[in-house]
């Protein structure tokens, strides 16, 4: 498959992530948010990260000819949703993690109540940002994308996946199919939807939307498999969070079921299938998306 060089890809990814970062740095201002709550929200929102989800949304929309700045409010809203989920995942009642991206988790830097409210605030502000996209794009497309994103982030998607994760923790009778379903909801839904919403906002036709949806679902599944692998073989310095926590908490993972090598093979197969969906597209954005798919398997953090 044709891809960018690693150096070129990382340069483009850094540039795109920086543009998202710049928008995120001011998007919550002038909203009458109490200062401590704003500080807590921005503590997590601006803590770094690859900005993979908004970058996917921007790149897909651009592949269909829509300027990235037109989609930026929606793409940045996805990062708000992702950040909220990380704040809540780290809480003592959930995964009870004290470190996130190399820094104390939100509830450690502030307190549990403020962290809960910061997550609530980021989730709700995300939908404010999404509606603002209608200033530059057809309202009908924005409404469809918003509905799609709400479904992916909600009880039938990411939130429901988190519930299944807690239900499955400590059990030794979880099947591979159940594990795949749980992760398709918890992690995969938001990644898939980031791609899908980019296509919707970009005005893609039904067939192209389906191609992008499949691409996103496959890379979302691969992303989680690699996350599970890195939790076993990565380092805290590389990942910016404790390693080995999945095993300690009794979580079901791909390596625990399949082993490291078979998990890698499964992830690579998913990426190969994802890339095939992009065969009908050309241009620099399609090339970037093909390379990004392989990057998901090759990454070390």
């Amino acid at each position: 498959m044709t891809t960018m060089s690693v150096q070129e890809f990382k340069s483009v990814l850094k540039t795109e992530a920086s543009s998202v970062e710049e928008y995120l740095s001011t998007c919550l201002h002038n909203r009458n948010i109490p200062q401590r709550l704003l500080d807590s929200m921005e503590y997590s929102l601006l803590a770094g990260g690859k900005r993979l989800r908004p970058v996917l949304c921007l790149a897909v929309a651009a592949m269909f000819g829509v300027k990235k700045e037109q989609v930026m409010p929606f793409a940045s809203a996805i990062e708000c949703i992702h950040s909220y989920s990380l704040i809540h995942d780290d809480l003592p009642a959930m995964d009870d993690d004290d470190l996130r991206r190399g820094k104390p988790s939100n509830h450690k830097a502030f307190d549990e109540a403020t962290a809960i409210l910061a997550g609530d605030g980021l989730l709700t502000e995300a939908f404010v940002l999404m509606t603002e996209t209608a200033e530059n794009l057809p309202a009908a497309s924005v409404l469809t994308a918003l509905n799609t994103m709400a479904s992916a982030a909600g009880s039938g998607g990411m939130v429901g996946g988190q519930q299944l994760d807690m239900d499955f923790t400590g059990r030794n009778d979880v099947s591979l199919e159940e594990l795949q379903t749980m992760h398709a909801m918890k992690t995969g839904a938001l990644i898939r939807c980031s791609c899908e919403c980019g296509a919707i906002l970009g005005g893609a036709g039904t067939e192209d939307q389906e191609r992008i949806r499949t691409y996103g679902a496959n890379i979302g599944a691969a992303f989680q498999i690699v996350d599970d692998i890195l939790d076993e073989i990565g380092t805290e310095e590389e990942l910016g969070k404790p390693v080995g926590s999945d095993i300690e908490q009794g979580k079901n993972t791909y390596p625990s079921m399949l082993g490291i090598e078979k998990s890698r093979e499964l992830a690579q197969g998913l990426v190969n299938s994802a890339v095939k969906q992009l065969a009908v597209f050309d241009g620099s954005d399609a090339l970037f998306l093909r390379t990004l798919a392989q990057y998901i398997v090759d990454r070390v953090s």
Side-chain angles (χ1 to χ4, degrees):
M1 63 181 176
T2 303
T3 59
M4 294 177 169
S5 68
V6 173
Q7 184 176 4
E8 184 183 2
F9 168 75
K10 288 186 174 181
S11 176
V12 174
L13 180 61
K14 183 178 180 180
T15 298
E16 297 301 323
S18 294
S19 67
V20 173
E21 200 81 35
E22 183 179 356
Y23 186 88
L24 291 173
S25 68
T26 61
C27 70
L28 298 180
H29 296 181
N30 303 317
R31 294 195 187 275
N32 198 33
I33 302 172
Q35 191 60 51
R36 180 171 173 79
L37 180 58
L38 177 62
D39 290 345
S40 179
M41 292 165 71
E42 291 195 327
Y43 176 82
S44 293
L45 183 63
L46 305 179
K50 292 174 279 294
R51 308 305 189 192
L52 176 67
R53 293 154 189 82
V55 167
L56 279 167
C57 184
L58 293 170
V60 171
M63 190 170 69
F64 291 104
V66 173
K67 293 180 180 179
K68 291 176 182 177
E69 54 265 30
Q70 293 177 279
V71 186
M72 184 61 76
F74 200 105
S76 296
I78 302 171
E79 192 67 18
C80 289
I81 294 173
H82 178 55
S83 294
Y84 123 76
S85 73
L86 299 181
I87 293 174
H88 283 193
D89 279 0
D90 289 340
L91 289 167
M94 300 285 245
D95 290 346
D96 195 17
D97 283 328
D98 294 342
L99 198 66
R100 173 67 66 177
R101 290 171 175 165
K103 298 168 60 179
S105 299
N106 196 292
H107 68 277
K108 287 295 182 179
F110 293 86
D111 56 73
E112 286 185 41
T114 301
I116 291 169
L117 291 171
D120 294 344
L122 284 167
L123 174 61
T124 311
E125 291 295 335
F127 292 97
V128 176
L129 290 171
M130 288 183 212
T131 60
E132 291 177 354
T133 310
E135 295 176 6
N136 298 306
L137 292 172
S141 296
V142 175
L143 182 61
T144 300
L146 197 156
N147 179 276
T148 303
M149 180 56 65
S151 298
S155 53
M158 183 176 67
V159 174
Q162 178 66 27
Q163 179 65 55
L164 290 178
D165 189 18
M166 293 189 296
D167 291 347
F168 292 167
T169 297
R171 283 176 47 187
N172 57 13
D173 61 340
V174 176
S175 68
L176 178 61
E177 183 179 359
E178 287 176 317
L179 182 71
Q180 290 172 319
T181 297
M182 182 264 286
H183 282 311
M185 295 168 69
K186 181 184 176 184
T187 303
L190 204 60
I191 292 176
R192 169 188 56 75
C193 195
S194 298
C195 300
E196 189 175 355
C197 287
I200 293 168
L201 296 170
T206 303
E207 289 186 4
D208 283 343
Q209 284 187 36
E210 183 57 35
R211 291 186 181 100
I212 296 302
R213 187 182 298 114
T214 302
Y215 166 86
N218 283 333
I219 65 170
F223 186 92
Q224 181 60 54
I225 295 169
V226 174
D227 254 14
D228 283 359
I229 294 171
L230 292 177
D231 188 72
E232 291 201 14
I233 67 172
T235 67
E236 186 171 307
E237 182 180 7
E238 289 173 332
L239 301 180
K241 60 181 180 180
V243 295
S245 58
D246 287 346
I247 296 175
E248 290 178 10
Q249 295 178 21
K251 289 185 178 292
N252 289 277
T253 68
Y254 287 95
S256 70
M257 286 192 179
L258 303 175
I260 297 292
E261 289 310 311
K262 285 191 178 298
S263 295
R264 286 193 188 279
E265 290 174 10
L266 179 57
Q268 186 62 60
L270 286 162
V271 164
N272 293 344
S273 295
V275 171
K276 287 180 181 178
Q277 298 298 318
L278 302 180
V280 300
F281 304 112
D282 53 23
S284 60
D285 293 298
L287 183 61
F288 173 78
L289 289 167
R290 284 195 287 270
T291 311
L292 191 152
Q294 187 60 43
Y295 162 78
I296 283 175
V297 172
D298 295 339
R299 67 194 172 94
V300 296
S301 66

